[in-house]
Amino acid sequence: QVQLVESGGGLVQAGGSLRLSCAASERTFRTYAMGWFRQAPGKEREFVATIDWTDRNTYYADSVKGRFTISRDNTKNTAYLQMNNLRPEDTAVYYCAANRHGTWSLRTGDYDYWGQGTQVTVSS
């Protein structure tokens, strides 16, 4: 059972930046695709970004493209989400997730393991 722990959330003003981290408990992390999702109050969880196990293929939601960057460091069993030019509408709980099959996906159902989430609040 892989455990994922997110960190790096917080309160930031619009236009600011945050970097989220997602630490995995096992070295098998390097064979997993990773994804970031977010959920705002009263809304469904939505896809943000994903990266496959090769670290060569990424995909982003249109709402974050050009502002957010997903990456991974397999030597540290950690995935990252660099968030720049943050907007109030980015406010949500952000979750990282791992897909054992290694291929990136936009669907929550394709992910096998989830972190507990980290709150990101962007003030206007």
Side-chain angles (χ1 to χ4, degrees):
Q1 182 79 9
V2 174
Q3 292 185 330
L4 303 175
V5 179
E6 300 101 333
S7 61
L11 173 63
V12 64
Q13 288 188 332
S17 298
L18 285 173
R19 189 176 80 155
L20 305 183
S21 298
C22 173
S25 60
E26 297 185 6
R27 291 179 62 187
T28 48
F29 162 88
R30 64 191 63 192
T31 66
Y32 297 166
M34 299 299 295
W36 287 95
F37 294 77
R38 65 187 182 186
Q39 189 167 17
K43 295 187 177 182
E44 292 188 353
R45 192 169 298 188
E46 65 174 3
F47 166 78
V48 175
T50 182
I51 186 167
D52 72 359
W53 74 276
T54 69
D55 197 14
R56 291 197 290 265
N57 298 299
T58 59
Y59 192 83
Y60 298 90
D62 287 342
S63 59
V64 306
K65 202 172 294 182
R67 300 188 297 122
F68 291 11
T69 303
I70 189 171
S71 62
R72 63 191 301 157
D73 185 341
N74 288 340
T75 66
K76 297 181 179 179
N77 294 344
T78 302
Y80 303 97
L81 185 68
Q82 177 66 44
M83 305 186 295
N84 298 329
N85 192 19
L86 282 160
R87 304 167 179 169
E89 53 264 39
D90 295 318
T91 295
V93 176
Y94 283 71
Y95 299 89
C96 71
N99 174 1
R100 291 178 297 175
H101 299 291
T103 54
W104 59 259
S105 173
L106 283 64
R107 297 191 298 262
T108 57
D110 287 339
Y111 289 84
D112 304 287
Y113 308 106
W114 292 82
Q116 81 290 350
T118 185
Q119 177 70 47
V120 171
T121 303
V122 184
S123 62
S124 57

